[in-house]
Amino acid sequence: MSAHILLVEDDETLAANYRDALCERGFTVTLCRDRVSAQASAEERLPDLAIVDIALGDDLEGGFELCRWLRSQSVELPVVFLTARDQDIDIVSGFRLGADDYLTKNISLLHLQARISALLARSRAVRDGSNQETQLTRGDLRLNSERLEASWKSEPLALTVTEFWIVEALARYPGQVRSRGQLMEAANTVLDDSTITSHIKRIRRKFLEIDAEFSALATAYGMGYRWLES
Amino acid sequence: MGLRPQLLLVSLLLLSLPWAGCEYIRETEATLRQGQLLATRATAQAIANALTKNEELVYPIGTRKGSSNPALHWPLGAAEAPLFSDGYATDWRELTTGVLSADDALVTVRAASWDRRLFLLITVNDLSRHYRTPYTPSDRVELSCVDEMGVLNRLAVNAEAPGPVRTRIIGYNHAAGNDFFRGAWRETEGGYTLELQGPLGPACARLGLRVIDAQGSREQLLFDLRSLFQQEYPWLIYQVPELQAWLEAFSQPGRVVRVTDRSGATVGRVRTPLQDASSPDEQVFWMLRWIFRAALPDPQRQRAETENVADSGAAIQAGYDPASRIVSATASIGHSGDALGTVTVSDPTERYLALTDRATSRLLGLGAFVLATAYLGLFAYASILSWRIRRLGLAAQRVADDQLAPQAFPRSGFNDEVGELSRSYADLLSQIGDYNQYLRSLASTLSHELRTPIAIIGSSLEHLGSKPATPARDEYLCRAKEGLDRLARIVGAMSEASRIEDSLRSSDFEDVEFTALLQSLVGAYRTSFTDHKFTLELPAESRGTGMAVRGNGDLLAQAVDKLVENAVSFAPRATSIILALKLDTLAPSETGRGTIPGRDALCLQVSNTGPTLPDALRARLFEPMVTLRPMASDDSHLGLGLHVARTITESHGGELAARNRDDGSGVVLLLTLPLSAASELEASKSCG
């Protein structure tokens, strides 16, 4: 059975484009234009994944409200923000509300499709308890690219898809500098440099929460980032 | 020229105040004089009218009225006091009128009058003096007195010896008339002097006088008075005592009243001395007086005023003589066509001049005081005014230099034009501030709004790309994507500035080793900008260490990126871009914008060859949407790069400046950042 995706987007044209792109991938898409109809749709049938715009018509924070409500409905439901807002505060708020990913609208359809697929694969893997070993271990770091799970010193890290892919791209070739472009490619996204920087910052913070001594993620100014093996 | 000197200059107009005062005084003086002229004229008229009715005062000898030939008149000197007829000429010295002498100057006759008395002094040059003896002829003086009726009395004086003499009537050897004239005979070096006195008036209206020299048995006529008066006995013209007494009634200090008869001879003259009416403290110091009178050249003072009035038949002439400062009026006595004489009244104007002098003096003092007060007041006012305007200008300048927030612009509470100006300034500046704020937020707002349509176009194009291909479609699709990418870049750049501000708020500062950061960045630049060479100059004393900056490495790198991108975009191909790092002291900057003075700092100079900065743009270079680039040259530059760099720099307590290279070959951008406390410590350790 094809995955059911709830797409909440107030701009009809854009929503139609996204819907078409997702339908091409074989997903079933329910299109809602505002929070109320989206909640009604989700109550009727909980989707496998929700793509939510933050500003819904006149309701500028409607997406956040919807995300909170969806999270209250299901802890495991992957929620992705797809929005024109690229301010740090919005991104941070989005993640704090339990979003699994935060995409800006300049993402290409191909990348969007890849994200959705990856998220669905992860939730399926978590649900099915599949244990196909796609483990990557670098010192204290462990990465499961099937379930998009990461841990540091055996402590689980709550990384978003983008973050996971960035860490994975860096850790796969320790010591080598990965440029921002390479990291974007790995994360299946098109972001500007400063967004990559804030992603890196968030990743570092998540590691530091577990291990105050964490310093494996180094900045190569002007070039990019690299993973240092202890 | 400042406001103060301008106002002082304008206040020179105040000098017209004393000028006006002087004009007023002058006018007053003229009026006073005019009044005096009228009074004098009226006096002259009154005297003349009175004398017309009492013509015997002018003509005590009625028969003389018929003789109007001045050639037959002998005006006598007017003695101030009775003369002693003692034969000595000492008391005659002051008398100058009434002197007669013949051409041979052998005899000099002087005559004077005092209160109905006639005084004669006859000086004869005659070395052979012959006194009277019964047998021989003697030197003698013969007098002929003609009374008012024309009866002639002949008298002779011949002395028997020097000393008192008397006249005797010739023809009547009669003792009765012997003392008709009496006097004294004195010998002198060259001859003798005879001084006589006799009655004056109806008894002796006309006089004849002959001096006869006896030489042996012969007699010689030395002098005959008639030879000087057309062989006639001259009328004695003297100042009539009755008239004098009558005229006394009109006397005034300084006034001179003169009455002349028909022939013009003075018959009455009263002169009252001018008393010093003003007390000493009212008198003006002579030098001041001189200055006033010289400084107030009264045009009317310089001009004699004369007016002729034919008033009820009697001609009156009144005038002012500026040289002697005397007002005089002349009126004729008698009815028109039958003038008996004239009356002249002269009054000095000194009294009025003294008055005006005092007024001028007071005016000068008062004027000086008023002027000084007005000047001081004006100066103070101008100072306050110019201070207020200067303060306003200074505040505006400070707002323009970003040292002062437009909201903090001092609004004057004064309810005048300058206060109004200040408030208008404040309003204007706050509007400009709002506008600038709007411009700053415009980029982010615009980018936000543009993002959705771009996403629509982008996703539509992607859909189009996945549809079955036709040869032409791919090409146009490709072009559309290209345009869209460009648009997306512009939007990205626009939102970058505002995102930077956001991330500055949320980022944590740590010590960033700036040299390492620079080295790493320059390495990256060498690979990404292959058209240009990069040179990194580090300070010799602390290569690599001790150059930590408190801040966010990513943001600092981004700031340097912007500077280098700017340099690369202006530098011609294959030229080198020099990044020089120096230790510096962060001077308390003029603008004081976000800097902490007195801390050691490092200064990164990014220098490139290329076009220089116009002066006008230098101050605004770091404002958003300001760019030197020609509009069409590059699509994704909106002049936001340097604004981003400045935002980052200032949030790190540093400052960003731009200047042209000294040789004008290009531009240097200077990024100054304070060193972190830790590295300052290290630097001082390494120095110590």
Side-chain angles (χ1 to χ4, degrees):
Chain A
M1 194 190 91
S2 67
H4 175 226
I5 293 174
L6 176 66
L7 176 61
V8 190
E9 165 65 57
D10 57 339
D11 191 288
E12 273 182 65
T13 323
L14 190 60
N17 273 349
Y18 287 142
R19 186 194 57 204
D20 294 352
L22 294 170
C23 288
E24 269 174 28
R25 277 298 181 97
F27 299 122
T28 313
V29 178
T30 306
L31 193 58
C32 293
R33 292 196 54 203
D34 55 32
R35 187 160 62 92
V36 179
S37 58
Q39 285 178 359
S41 162
E43 272 176 349
E44 193 181 300
R45 183 191 162 191
L46 198 66
D48 296 315
L49 186 140
I51 300 173
V52 181
D53 190 4
I54 294 177
L56 296 173
D58 294 336
D59 195 357
L60 292 177
E61 308 278 299
F64 289 143
E65 290 294 315
L66 186 59
C67 175
R68 188 180 293 131
W69 183 81
L70 285 171
R71 191 49 73 230
S72 69
Q73 297 296 307
S74 159
V75 185
E76 280 151 11
L77 172 69
V79 178
V80 176
F81 278 113
L82 179 60
T83 177
R85 296 200 205 172
D86 60 352
Q87 311 267 315
D88 269 4
I89 177 119
D90 293 323
I91 301 174
V92 169
S93 312
F95 284 127
R96 197 165 289 157
L97 288 170
D100 291 272
D101 212 346
Y102 191 101
L103 305 174
T104 52
K105 280 183 178 170
N106 51 5
I107 191 169
S108 77
L109 293 177
L110 285 174
H111 287 146
L112 179 68
Q113 289 163 348
R115 289 309 177 88
I116 304 302
S117 304
L119 277 170
L120 286 171
R122 183 175 74 167
S123 64
R124 205 175 299 123
V126 171
R127 206 168 45 229
D128 298 351
S130 130
N131 211 1
Q132 198 179 345
E133 280 305 309
T134 43
Q135 289 269 29
L136 179 70
T137 309
R138 289 281 178 271
D140 293 330
L141 178 72
R142 282 169 165 278
L143 296 173
N144 183 330
S145 51
E146 180 72 20
R147 301 166 76 159
L148 303 182
E149 275 176 356
S151 66
W152 176 258
K153 291 188 175 170
S154 307
E155 294 265 353
L157 273 168
L159 295 180
T160 67
V161 182
T162 311
E163 288 161 3
F164 181 86
W165 280 336
I166 289 173
V167 173
E168 205 253 353
L170 288 167
R172 187 166 296 276
Y173 306 101
Q176 281 187 18
V177 173
R178 312 302 279 174
S179 74
R180 289 183 170 86
Q182 286 170 316
L183 292 178
M184 280 189 263
E185 211 171 294
N188 280 317
T189 187
V190 179
L191 301 167
D192 50 50
D193 288 1
S194 62
T195 313
I196 287 280
T197 308
S198 51
H199 276 298
I200 294 284
K201 205 157 66 181
R202 266 196 303 278
I203 294 168
R204 274 207 191 107
R205 198 172 297 141
K206 284 178 180 176
F207 275 101
L208 285 169
E209 278 170 15
I210 297 169
D211 177 7
E213 300 288 302
F214 175 79
S215 62
L217 189 47
T219 307
Y221 291 110
M223 289 179 276
Y225 303 91
R226 65 182 136 198
W227 189 266
L228 298 177
E229 274 196 297
S230 53
Chain B
M1 193 149 71
L3 198 62
R4 266 181 293 181
Q6 278 181 32
L7 251 166
L8 282 186
L9 211 66
V10 170
S11 65
L12 284 183
L13 290 177
L14 277 179
L15 286 180
S16 63
L17 227 71
W19 174 82
C22 288
E23 273 305 294
Y24 176 71
I25 287 178
R26 210 178 290 175
E27 205 59 41
T28 312
E29 191 192 317
T31 312
L32 281 174
R33 197 166 50 236
Q34 188 62 31
Q36 195 181 20
L37 199 67
L38 286 174
T40 306
R41 218 187 68 181
T43 308
Q45 181 72 57
I47 296 174
N49 288 346
L51 286 181
T52 306
K53 289 177 186 123
N54 301 301
E55 57 180 61
E56 71 280 358
L57 285 174
V58 183
Y59 287 102
I61 300 156
T63 48
R64 193 166 69 82
K65 267 199 285 184
S67 158
S68 60
N69 185 1
L72 299 179
H73 293 173
W74 186 17
L76 308 182
E80 301 280 326
L83 303 172
F84 290 106
S85 299
D86 53 1
Y88 297 108
T90 46
D91 40 4
W92 286 83
R93 265 181 217 142
E94 287 163 14
L95 292 163
T96 49
T97 51
V99 183
L100 291 172
S101 67
D103 294 339
D104 50 11
L106 288 174
V107 177
T108 308
V109 180
R110 311 177 79 172
S113 72
W114 184 82
D115 190 27
R116 293 193 201 88
R117 299 292 292 171
L118 172 67
F119 299 88
L120 290 170
L121 178 72
I122 303 143
T123 313
V124 182
N125 285 323
D126 177 18
L127 287 171
S128 59
R129 288 177 290 264
H130 294 88
Y131 292 96
R132 183 183 169 197
T133 59
Y135 317 107
T136 53
S138 57
D139 297 338
R140 70 175 183 278
V141 174
E142 288 181 9
L143 296 171
S144 311
C145 284
V146 183
D147 72 6
E148 59 177 330
M149 307 314 281
V151 178
L152 178 71
N153 288 310
R154 300 189 64 209
L155 305 160
V157 183
N158 43 358
E160 291 169 357
V165 289
R166 289 184 172 189
T167 50
R168 59 188 174 79
I169 298 172
I170 298 173
Y172 298 83
N173 210 356
H174 198 273
N178 272 5
D179 60 350
F180 197 59
F181 275 85
R182 58 188 169 82
W185 184 295
R186 298 288 172 200
E187 283 186 11
T188 59
E189 249 178 274
Y192 60 89
T193 304
L194 178 63
E195 190 176 3
L196 292 169
Q197 58 171 296
L200 193 62
C204 189
R206 292 196 282 168
L207 188 74
L209 191 147
R210 300 199 316 155
V211 177
I212 294 154
D213 181 29
Q215 291 180 341
S217 57
R218 288 190 305 114
E219 287 188 351
Q220 190 191 352
L221 182 64
L222 277 184
F223 174 78
D224 187 357
L225 190 64
R226 283 191 295 175
S227 67
L228 301 174
F229 294 95
Q230 301 170 2
Q231 302 304 324
E232 290 276 345
Y233 295 113
W235 290 93
L236 295 178
I237 309 297
Y238 59 94
Q239 295 188 359
V240 185
E242 290 82 4
L243 182 61
Q244 297 279 101
W246 187 80
L247 286 179
E248 285 293 338
F250 297 95
S251 72
Q252 256 186 25
R255 174 177 281 181
V256 177
V257 184
R258 197 162 65 96
V259 178
T260 58
D261 65 8
R262 187 181 283 160
S263 65
T266 304
V267 291
R269 189 164 178 276
V270 171
R271 189 171 164 275
T272 322
L274 184 74
Q275 8 171 274
D276 255 344
S278 48
S279 58
D281 60 310
E282 280 182 325
Q283 270 209 321
V284 179
F285 181 56
W286 65 269
M287 215 161 83
L288 273 181
R289 185 169 56 202
W290 181 82
I291 290 171
F292 297 159
R293 293 186 186 177
L296 294 177
D298 186 348
Q300 289 175 324
R301 267 187 191 178
Q302 305 299 327
R303 190 184 78 217
E305 297 159 3
T306 310
E307 57 172 319
N308 292 301
V309 182
D311 191 7
S312 65
I316 299 179
Q317 213 176 49
Y320 170 66
D321 175 25
S324 55
R325 300 201 185 96
I326 282 174
V327 173
S328 61
T330 305
S332 50
I333 306 165
H335 307 288
S336 59
D338 182 23
L340 295 173
T342 59
V343 176
T344 306
V345 180
S346 307
D347 277 324
T349 57
E350 195 57 42
R351 271 194 303 167
Y352 302 104
L353 281 179
L355 263 179
T356 55
D357 284 346
R358 271 212 304 285
T360 313
S361 176
R362 212 172 297 161
L363 177 86
L364 204 76
L366 213 65
F369 175 72
V370 166
L371 271 187
T373 314
Y375 261 81
L376 275 179
L378 273 176
F379 189 78
Y381 173 69
S383 298
I384 290 171
L385 202 64
S386 73
W387 172 75
R388 286 175 63 197
I389 293 176
R390 242 184 335 200
R391 202 174 62 132
L392 187 63
L394 214 68
Q397 184 66 46
R398 286 183 60 205
V399 171
D401 290 347
D402 269 6
Q403 289 177 41
L404 194 68
Q407 293 78 23
F409 190 83
R411 281 171 173 269
S412 169
F414 278 97
N415 199 18
D416 61 0
E417 281 85 348
V418 178
E420 192 60 44
L421 185 67
S422 144
R423 287 188 288 280
S424 306
Y425 251 80
D427 292 346
L428 186 70
L429 284 169
S430 107
Q431 276 172 22
I432 289 177
D434 292 348
Y435 179 68
N436 277 342
Q437 196 53 48
Y438 165 72
L439 268 190
R440 275 194 195 114
S441 62
L442 179 67
S444 82
T445 316
L446 205 60
S447 71
H448 185 103
E449 292 303 321
L450 285 176
R451 194 155 280 152
T452 304
I454 288 173
I456 294 170
I457 300 169
S459 52
S460 305
L461 288 176
E462 275 187 70
H463 278 300
L464 206 57
S466 63
K467 295 287 176 289
T470 65
R473 188 206 65 175
D474 281 351
E475 194 186 333
Y476 290 121
L477 205 59
C478 185
R479 285 181 199 168
K481 270 187 180 148
E482 203 172 286
L484 192 67
D485 282 351
R486 212 184 273 185
L487 193 58
R489 268 206 307 282
I490 294 172
V491 170
M494 277 163 66
S495 64
E496 187 175 18
S498 57
R499 247 204 338 268
I500 288 291
E501 284 168 23
D502 282 342
S503 54
L504 277 172
R505 272 196 287 277
S506 60
S507 62
D508 303 320
F509 279 13
E510 55 193 4
D511 280 353
V512 178
E513 199 62 57
F514 202 71
T515 14
L517 183 141
L518 265 188
Q519 279 163 335
S520 157
L521 280 177
V522 169
Y525 297 146
R526 287 191 180 122
T527 54
S528 31
F529 302 107
T530 46
D531 285 344
H532 296 86
K533 291 196 270 287
F534 287 88
T535 315
L536 177 63
E537 293 169 7
L538 292 174
E541 62 259 37
S542 61
R543 194 170 286 271
T545 53
M547 302 283 271
V549 170
R550 187 96 193 142
N552 182 308
D554 289 316
L555 290 174
L556 288 173
Q558 200 172 352
V560 178
D561 277 352
K562 297 296 173 193
L563 299 187
V564 170
E565 273 169 27
N566 179 75
V568 166
S569 68
F570 283 112
R573 272 166 172 270
T575 55
S576 88
I577 288 160
I578 302 158
L579 287 89
L581 189 64
K582 287 179 182 148
L583 274 172
D584 197 359
T585 306
L586 195 65
S589 79
E590 277 177 34
T591 60
R593 183 191 292 148
T595 55
I596 305 155
R599 273 172 68 173
D600 275 337
L602 53 83
C603 176
L604 173 68
Q605 301 184 353
V606 180
S607 158
N608 68 283
T609 48
T612 54
L613 289 170
D615 279 347
L617 201 60
R618 201 181 300 179
R620 296 175 46 232
L621 191 64
F622 303 110
E623 297 282 323
M625 312 279 192
V626 172
T627 179
L628 265 177
R629 294 177 186 86
M631 285 312 279
S633 70
D634 198 320
D635 50 1
S636 58
H637 278 290
L638 288 169
L640 288 164
L642 290 180
H643 173 62
V644 167
R646 188 182 75 169
T647 310
I648 295 172
T649 311
E650 287 176 359
S651 70
H652 284 78
E655 60 184 35
L656 195 56
R659 61 174 165 81
N660 290 322
R661 276 186 184 171
D662 292 339
D663 57 3
S665 64
V667 174
V668 185
L669 293 170
L670 299 107
L671 172 81
T672 313
L673 289 168
L675 283 173
S676 78
S679 76
E680 262 183 81
L681 209 70
E682 207 170 302
S684 66
K685 258 190 275 174
S686 68
C687 286

